[in-house]
Amino acid sequence: MLNLGDTIAMSVKGLVQHRLRTLLSTLGIIFGVAAVISMMSVGEGARRAAIAQIKLLGTNNIRIRELPLAGKELEKAGPRYGRGLTHDDASLLRQGIPVRSVTFAPLKISAADVRHGGRQGGANVIGTSPEYAAITDFRVAAGRFLSPLDLADNKTVCVLGAEIKEELFGRGDAIDAELRIGDGWYTVVGVMEPKQLYQGKTPILKLRNINRDVYVPINTALWRFPAGRDPFAINEIAIRVADERNILDVVRLAREVLDRQHRGVGDYEIIIPEELLAQARETQRLFNMVIGAIAGISLVVGGIGIMNIMLANVSERTREIGVRRAIGARQKDIMLQFLIETVLVCLAGGVIGILLGFAMGGLISLYAKWETAFSLAGVLAAFGTAAAVGIVFGLFPARRAARLDPVQALRL
Amino acid sequence: MLIETGDLRMVYQVGATPVHALTGVAITVDHGEFVVITGASGSGKSTLLNLLGCLERPSGGWYRLEGKQVEALDDDQLSRFRNQKIGFVFQTFNLIPQYNVVENVELPLIYRGVEKGARRARSLKILEQVGLGDKIEHRPSELSGGEAQRVAIARALAVEPVLLLADEPTGNLDSRTGTGIMELFSDLNRQGATVILVTHSQEVAGYGRRTIEMRDGRIIHDSATGENQRC
Ligand SMILES: Nc1ncnc2c1ncn2[C@@H]1O[C@H](COP(=O)(O)OP(=O)(O)OP(=O)(O)O)[C@@H](O)[C@H]1O
Ligand SMILES: [Mg+2]
């Protein structure tokens, strides 16, 4: 009996007769698939952005950030309790969370110019503790990171990020050099390895360029860079939980401790890796709904358009169908031939739609500054959708072709 | 006996009125015959030919082809039967426009599931036989009427049918080209093919070795029996 390869070859031959008409009939599929593809690539982009940032933060890490209060909220909280995070909070957390293998580091972040010789550069001056390097997996390239002794003695030492070191010292050695940060002198004790930055356009968290960090002991930062409002104000507390399964417990305990200390004032937020992903998904949801609706409508409208063209095609080719039946084609052979024709049309529309979708994704990331990424699942879904539309809307014309009475078909 | 029918009837329903296209046809045709069917327009010639070609089932009566009861076959079996036993030639050639000459000839072999090399070889041989070996890549639109009908005949012959059916094969051709086509049918018949051919033309009818005349859905004269059936 007739084999599939020959049937497909027949269908292709049937299609190339009316190239333009066929192409036009696929416009709905093209736009529908393009919408699906751009939607998926935006979604994939957001997901990758979230994952990349989570990686950078560390999957086992929790960040507690200050949330500056303003206006009414500040008034309600009162000056005593709207202070944001303080160095005390960090100590309280350390004592209040009796979970094993949890490490804490406070962060006080200030912007300052760093000068050495004739050169200078803008840096993020980070007051922190020795644990920070371990928490973030940042490694020193030369010298050492901050030590407990630096902290205890309020030493004026610093560790330079790779980029800032490069700017001030070039390829030269920076260890033991004296440099100015803001208006104080510091001794360089270490240089960090360069760290791959997240280059995406859709940061869920705004991350600073850590290669421009300059680390100093937290106590030193507190007295050298007073924040004005509170001498013990810090910006962030970084926490690493060795065992991932304890993350949620630690978060709960941290919240208890801080809420007690802050009298329930919401002047901080806790960021968990999981939540970043959830946030990314949330950003996506509305967009997906809109585009999904557009895609759905175009696919249905496109499918109906193709069905129309195929019906016209069948009635134009009635005689051909009659001849095929006369020389031995069974109903199912005719059916399959026309069904495959429709599916091929839809797949062709799908291919064009996929290309258009990537172009649209590119434009979205260009103008909306959203990250987009190629998603294999998206391409497969698009192909699947196109094929499904072809089958669903091809069935009726194909059945009509197959059911033609051979004698009638030949009389016309 | 190749063909045996008894009391073949065909009724078409046109709205509420039944049209009796065949009103009881009994006919036998043996292997190797060359039968020409004539008769006025609307006398049922095409209807009879379509029934003999297994394109549809009769409304009544019976039909045996090579001993096989045709009216008992279902649609798929009829298709198989046509593919294996029947070669059709039509007045309007009915070549498939998107296929070139050799692809048109191959088509029945594709439906039979013959593998590519074999069907191509067979098609080329037949095209050679009908005198079109040099036109195999041409499209139907690039052929003259006579050439197109030769391709159609080649297509009918491709499956080595036991029965070659032609409904006014020269109807769309000028008389010289028509003569050429009829000579081809004669040749094929001499080589053993059984041919049943419908025509309006007396000249064409002269090629037949047996003539059947129809009127109002009946056979009114059959040269084989010499007798006039009931009128
Ligand atoms: N599908 C059909 N529906 C209704 N009537 C039909 C159908 N097919 C044939 N007929 C009728 O049956 C009768 C016989 O038709 P048929 O085509 O067999 O005649 P014919 O002898 O081939 O005529 P012609 O020489 O004009 O081709 C005609 O009256 C025709 O109108
Ligand atoms: Mg007729």
Side-chain angles (χ1 to χ4, degrees):
Chain A
M1 281 291 106
L2 177 65
N3 71 48
L4 191 64
D6 287 327
T7 314
I8 292 173
M10 265 177 207
S11 303
V12 171
K13 277 242 158 80
L15 284 176
V16 293
Q17 274 179 303
H18 299 287
R19 284 191 204 104
L20 183 65
R21 189 175 82 176
T22 311
L23 190 72
L24 287 177
S25 73
T26 60
L27 277 178
I29 303 287
I30 292 177
F31 286 119
V33 165
V36 171
I37 284 289
S38 57
M39 175 174 79
M40 301 280 281
S41 59
V42 167
E44 177 67 10
R47 200 179 64 84
R48 288 200 194 165
I51 288 173
Q53 294 200 44
I54 288 163
K55 277 233 179 85
L56 212 63
L57 288 175
T59 37
N60 289 18
N61 287 4
I62 301 166
R63 284 170 44 152
I64 304 179
R65 287 200 308 190
E66 61 165 346
L67 257 187
L69 296 181
K72 279 235 169 64
E73 280 180 329
L74 186 59
E75 253 169 55
K76 220 173 79 193
R80 276 196 55 177
Y81 300 111
R83 290 162 66 193
L85 293 175
T86 64
H87 197 209
D88 293 345
D89 291 333
S91 318
L92 282 169
L93 284 175
R94 213 171 262 136
Q95 293 153 20
I97 299 181
V99 179
R100 288 190 333 132
S101 318
V102 180
T103 335
F104 300 84
L107 266 75
K108 177 180 167 54
I109 306 170
S110 342
D113 279 343
V114 182
R115 280 182 285 259
H116 177 263
R119 307 192 206 184
Q120 80 171 61
N124 316 307
V125 179
I126 315 282
T128 188
S129 63
E131 290 87 354
Y132 190 59
I135 289 174
T136 52
D137 276 335
F138 295 171
R139 274 182 281 276
V140 285
R144 60 172 177 82
F145 197 69
L146 301 174
S147 73
L149 216 62
D150 296 333
L151 226 59
D153 295 352
N154 287 2
K155 282 196 180 141
T156 50
V157 294
C158 67
V159 178
L160 300 180
E163 195 176 312
I164 203 86
K165 181 259 173 189
E166 177 95 27
E167 271 178 31
L168 298 184
F169 297 93
R171 302 189 148 263
D173 188 13
I175 306 296
D176 290 335
E178 297 284 320
L179 48 68
R180 264 179 97 83
I181 303 176
D183 41 40
W185 285 97
Y186 293 77
T187 311
V188 179
V189 294
V191 175
M192 304 304 289
E193 278 182 354
K195 189 94 176 164
Q196 184 72 41
L197 284 177
Y198 170 66
Q199 299 287 11
K201 301 184 189 89
T202 337
I204 298 156
L205 280 175
K206 250 188 118 49
L207 292 183
R208 56 180 201 272
N209 178 353
I210 47 187
N211 291 322
R212 301 195 72 85
D213 280 357
V214 173
Y215 303 104
V216 301
I218 177 72
N219 296 332
T220 311
L222 287 175
W223 66 264
R224 283 288 183 90
F225 297 93
R229 57 188 164 97
D230 188 316
F232 294 104
I234 59 175
N235 304 86
E236 214 178 292
I237 299 168
I239 306 173
R240 183 183 197 100
V241 184
D243 187 342
E244 230 171 291
R245 285 166 300 182
N246 291 335
I247 285 186
L248 290 180
D249 279 338
V250 172
V251 168
R252 187 175 44 78
L253 287 169
R255 202 161 262 143
E256 273 172 25
V257 169
L258 291 176
D259 282 348
R260 205 177 313 126
Q261 177 73 2
H262 293 218
R263 314 267 157 145
V265 175
D267 54 0
Y268 70 94
E269 63 176 340
I270 300 182
I271 297 162
I272 323 167
E274 291 295 304
E275 275 180 4
L276 279 180
L277 267 182
Q279 221 175 318
R281 269 185 229 116
E282 187 55 31
T283 329
Q284 275 301 296
R285 225 168 46 93
L286 186 69
F287 181 75
N288 280 0
M289 268 161 46
V290 173
I291 297 291
I294 294 174
I297 291 168
S298 334
L299 286 173
V300 169
V301 170
I304 291 171
I306 284 182
M307 183 165 78
N308 239 325
I309 292 295
M310 287 309 291
L311 283 172
N313 198 1
V314 167
S315 66
E316 265 173 34
R317 288 161 66 188
T318 299
R319 195 171 264 279
E320 173 189 331
I321 294 163
V323 174
R324 288 179 185 274
R325 296 283 279 131
I327 63 177
R330 294 165 303 169
Q331 291 197 11
K332 52 185 95 130
D333 298 328
I334 301 291
M335 170 108 186
L336 201 60
Q337 178 191 345
F338 280 90
L339 194 57
I340 291 175
E341 278 191 27
T342 316
V343 171
L344 286 178
V345 169
C346 289
L347 287 182
V351 171
I352 300 173
I354 287 168
L355 297 177
L356 187 66
F358 283 131
M360 271 161 61
L363 285 181
I364 288 173
S365 66
L366 207 63
Y367 290 106
K369 306 280 181 226
W370 282 1
E371 181 110 345
T372 57
F374 172 84
S375 125
L376 185 64
V379 172
L380 294 179
F383 266 117
T385 314
V389 168
I391 290 171
V392 167
F393 291 95
L395 220 46
F396 179 55
R399 262 171 75 102
R400 177 168 280 195
R403 295 261 170 112
L404 282 176
D405 176 39
V407 173
Q408 300 293 350
L410 284 166
R411 281 176 87 87
L412 291 175
Chain B
M1 201 54 66
L2 176 62
I3 286 174
E4 292 169 283
T5 77
D7 197 28
L8 265 192
R9 291 168 184 278
M10 197 67 206
V11 183
Y12 293 109
Q13 207 67 35
V14 181
T17 30
V19 177
H20 296 270
L22 286 185
T23 54
V25 171
I27 183 178
T28 56
V29 178
D30 211 344
H31 287 280
E33 286 200 61
F34 192 150
V35 183
V36 170
I37 304 176
T38 60
S41 192
S43 56
K45 306 181 295 291
S46 297
T47 305
L48 178 58
L49 207 67
N50 290 339
L51 281 178
L52 295 180
C54 307
L55 267 176
E56 54 188 344
R57 271 173 299 234
S59 315
W62 54 269
Y63 170 26
R64 277 203 294 271
L65 177 62
E66 285 194 316
K68 189 107 175 172
Q69 209 72 39
V70 173
E71 72 273 8
L73 300 178
D74 68 20
D75 196 82
D76 277 6
Q77 290 169 322
L78 277 180
S79 304
R80 274 273 290 282
F81 221 55
R82 289 196 292 273
N83 187 243
Q84 290 170 347
K85 312 235 175 263
I86 316 282
F88 277 103
V89 178
F90 307 93
Q91 179 174 354
T92 53
F93 323 137
N94 283 343
L95 299 178
I96 292 180
Q98 65 265 31
Y99 291 178
N100 67 24
V101 164
V102 66
E103 287 167 339
N104 264 286
V105 176
E106 276 182 80
L107 195 56
L109 296 171
I110 290 181
Y111 285 117
R112 185 180 277 193
V114 176
E115 159 283 314
K116 196 174 174 70
R119 69 187 188 225
R120 179 57 55 111
R122 164 130 191 89
S123 305
L124 291 177
K125 201 175 130 226
I126 296 170
L127 281 167
E128 203 67 55
Q129 194 185 337
V130 301
L132 280 174
D134 54 340
K135 297 250 157 83
I136 58 165
E137 300 277 355
H138 285 232
R139 298 266 152 189
S141 57
E142 298 160 356
L143 298 175
S144 72
E147 288 168 340
Q149 196 60 299
R150 280 170 192 275
V151 175
I153 292 169
R155 179 177 64 191
L157 293 174
V159 292
E160 300 182 300
V162 296
L163 181 58
L164 198 52
L165 300 175
D167 197 345
E168 301 185 36
T170 59
N172 278 21
L173 302 174
D174 63 59
S175 64
R176 230 189 57 212
T177 318
T179 304
I181 293 296
M182 286 316 296
E183 250 141 36
L184 180 54
F185 276 112
S186 285
D187 279 349
L188 291 168
N189 176 247
R190 269 194 295 280
Q191 289 159 30
T194 311
V195 179
I196 303 180
L197 191 146
V198 168
T199 187
H200 278 293
S201 143
Q202 282 310 312
E203 195 186 331
V204 168
Y207 283 89
R209 292 198 274 155
R210 171 179 172 192
T211 332
I212 290 174
E213 195 182 342
M214 294 187 68
R215 184 187 297 163
D216 297 334
R218 285 193 177 81
I219 293 177
I220 55 165
H221 181 261
D222 186 340
S223 69
T225 54
E227 71 194 33
N228 293 356
Q229 292 191 348
R230 59 197 160 94
C231 297

